[in-house]
Amino acid sequence: MTHLILFMQFFKYGLLCLGGGYMIIPLLYEDFVAQTEFFTPAQFGNLLAISQMTPGAVSINAATYIGYMQGQVLDAVIASIGLAMPTFILAIIALSFFKKHKNSTFVAGFFKGARWAAFVMVLSAVVLFANMSVFSQPVSLDSLRSFSLKYPELGVAIMSAVIYYRGHLSMMQLLVLAFAIGFGVSFI
Amino acid sequence: MLKNRYRSETNILFLIFKTFFKIALFVVGGGLAMIPVIEDTFVRKYKLLKSDDIVDMVAMTQTIPGLIAVNSAIFVGHRLCGWKGSVVATIGVLIPSICILCLIAAFFPLLSMENPHILAAFSYIRACVTGIFCCVAVRLGKKILSTHRDFLIVGLLILGMLYGINIILLIVLSVLMGLVSAYKQQKEATKTENRS
């Protein structure tokens, strides 16, 4: 029974990831940090950082990790299959009439909306991660006037944004570099 | 020719599985990072797909909802071998992620992580991810924000997010607004056509 619930939960996330895997971040945050407090915000951030650093799709990695924490290997498999299932079904349906309806108004409108949502979700992920790293206390609408920054982290964030935007280093190299800086700084 | 070597269906299926398994095993950075590797393997190395197919694939991953990695696996599998190819490719993409993350979860439990140096290092990694997400947001924003209407709707969605409206509701609303604006645009287009 718990397996079925887990499957349905990740199936739901899969359905809602309309604009790509990044959209899962606010959804997971809402369910596992804000409501159930299964993770602290920092642990959640670490989880996603690990999913980002390991090979493979980020959202599938996160689903596997959370599934494993719910139980064991079986739950991990169930969670990631549950997440991939809606995409699989939708894509198989879409492929059979993709060519015909590529330019239909309905399809165009649907994906326009999905991409707006994806953009807002990525923005929200930026805020979530900034709260976990750059700001020393989570910033919300009420505490907008009294925020305090952690400058070393802010420096790393800006540096990695610029380097990644220009394409000098790959994501993996950047993350390893950040880990090395952090590890080194912690001894000072 | 290479194609002859892979003529039988089982051979192609195995090749699809093997390739996607490898891609998921070695490519870091999620679905978007996989696309160039897929192109490299199937177009340049095995010559099973043409670069037009990759253009189609990118178009599909950008228009069909869902995870980019899974979508591209399904597309390539479908092109080469029908639905069987899709199934095999998806399984190939999933298995490495599941195995690696299970190992990490088993040997690197997040909840009981106490080493102060590693915790400090992770704080910097989170900062780095913040930066990377900023880039992702800027690139996506450049692509989708072109008219006043786009800015207005995205602004409304952000306000909704700030004031704690349910995320699922927001996604549904956004899709609905997309549909409305597409139909409106179509109406305007036909109107101007009629006038001229």
Side-chain angles (χ1 to χ4, degrees):
Chain A
M1 215 29 223
T2 48
H3 289 155
L4 190 68
I5 293 170
L6 190 72
F7 181 83
M8 291 315 289
Q9 192 180 5
F10 279 89
F11 191 87
K12 181 186 82 182
Y13 297 142
L15 265 183
L16 291 166
C17 282
L18 296 167
Y22 286 120
M23 278 180 86
I24 202 179
I25 295 170
L27 294 166
L28 287 178
Y29 188 87
E30 187 67 25
D31 282 0
F32 287 95
V33 182
Q35 282 184 5
T36 56
E37 291 178 5
F38 188 74
F39 297 115
T40 65
Q43 283 167 344
F44 181 74
N46 295 349
L47 166 83
L48 280 162
I50 290 174
S51 318
Q52 189 84 256
M53 284 169 84
T54 44
V58 176
S59 49
I60 300 271
N61 290 347
T64 310
Y65 204 132
I66 291 179
Y68 189 92
M69 294 182 82
Q70 306 279 326
Q72 280 295 322
V73 178
L74 182 64
D75 302 76
V77 175
I78 288 173
S80 37
I81 291 179
L83 184 71
M85 192 67 93
T87 305
F88 189 77
I89 297 170
L90 279 174
I92 292 278
I93 295 172
L95 271 175
S96 41
F97 65 109
F98 179 59
K99 282 256 157 78
K100 259 184 283 172
H101 297 266
K102 206 166 156 186
N103 300 317
S104 84
T105 317
F106 181 83
V107 175
F110 188 88
F111 297 118
K112 207 176 190 186
R115 257 187 263 168
W116 286 333
F119 180 64
V120 178
M121 294 292 141
V122 174
L123 282 185
S124 136
V126 171
V127 175
L128 289 180
F129 266 89
N131 273 341
M132 292 167 201
S133 58
V134 178
F135 298 113
S136 31
Q137 257 145 27
V139 171
S140 68
L141 274 186
D142 312 317
S143 63
L144 217 49
R145 278 154 196 269
S146 60
F147 64 88
S148 56
L149 290 165
K150 287 192 260 181
Y151 290 103
E153 270 95 339
L154 183 68
V156 168
I158 293 173
M159 175 200 80
S160 44
V162 172
I163 293 178
Y164 188 67
Y165 192 77
R166 295 206 171 156
H168 291 315
L169 289 178
S170 74
M171 197 184 282
M172 180 68 185
Q173 290 164 330
L174 261 180
L175 289 166
V176 170
L177 184 68
F179 185 86
I181 294 175
F183 201 71
V185 167
S186 73
F187 285 99
I188 297 170
Chain B
M1 241 186 86
L2 256 173
K3 211 167 186 175
N4 291 336
R5 250 176 66 202
Y6 298 105
R7 196 184 266 160
S8 89
E9 197 182 33
T10 13
N11 275 351
I12 293 193
L13 283 177
F14 182 69
L15 179 78
I16 295 171
F17 177 80
K18 195 184 77 181
T19 314
F20 275 99
F21 188 89
K22 256 196 205 160
I23 289 175
L25 192 59
F26 292 117
V27 178
V28 179
L32 278 174
M34 289 181 186
I35 291 173
V37 187
I38 293 174
E39 186 176 2
D40 242 31
T41 344
F42 282 100
V43 179
R44 283 188 210 113
K45 196 166 161 206
Y46 295 115
K47 300 194 168 53
L48 287 169
L49 292 174
K50 302 212 171 75
S51 26
D52 285 355
D53 292 323
I54 300 297
V55 174
D56 276 0
M57 182 183 91
V58 174
M60 193 193 94
T61 54
Q62 281 175 356
T63 46
I64 289 177
L67 316 175
I68 292 167
V70 178
N71 262 335
S72 14
I74 290 169
F75 182 88
V76 172
H78 196 85
R79 267 289 149 93
L80 292 175
C81 232
W83 66 269
K84 278 185 210 161
S86 302
V87 175
V88 167
T90 314
I91 296 173
V93 160
L94 289 183
I95 290 180
S97 285
I98 295 176
C99 294
I100 295 173
L101 264 291
C102 278
L103 281 178
I104 292 179
F107 292 107
F108 195 69
L110 274 177
L111 296 180
S112 53
M113 200 157 55
E114 271 164 3
N115 185 324
H117 300 299
I118 291 189
L119 283 178
F122 261 101
S123 167
Y124 281 75
I125 287 184
R126 291 197 299 268
C128 178
V129 175
T130 313
I132 290 174
F133 279 173
C134 281
C135 281
V136 174
V138 169
R139 282 183 191 159
L140 195 63
K142 268 186 177 172
K143 229 187 275 171
I144 63 160
L145 296 174
S146 48
T147 62
H148 292 299
R149 196 182 277 164
D150 293 337
F151 278 100
L152 181 71
I153 290 175
V154 167
L156 282 178
L157 288 174
I158 292 172
L159 270 184
M161 197 90 195
L162 284 176
Y163 283 98
I165 296 177
N166 187 298
I167 298 174
I168 300 174
L169 189 70
L170 275 179
I171 295 175
V172 174
L173 272 179
S174 164
V175 169
L176 283 179
M177 286 194 284
L179 286 174
V180 170
S181 90
Y183 277 106
K184 243 184 168 176
Q185 268 179 359
Q186 195 195 25
K187 245 187 191 172
E188 282 161 16
T190 46
K191 247 187 206 169
T192 48
E193 243 173 55
N194 289 344
R195 252 183 237 154
S196 65

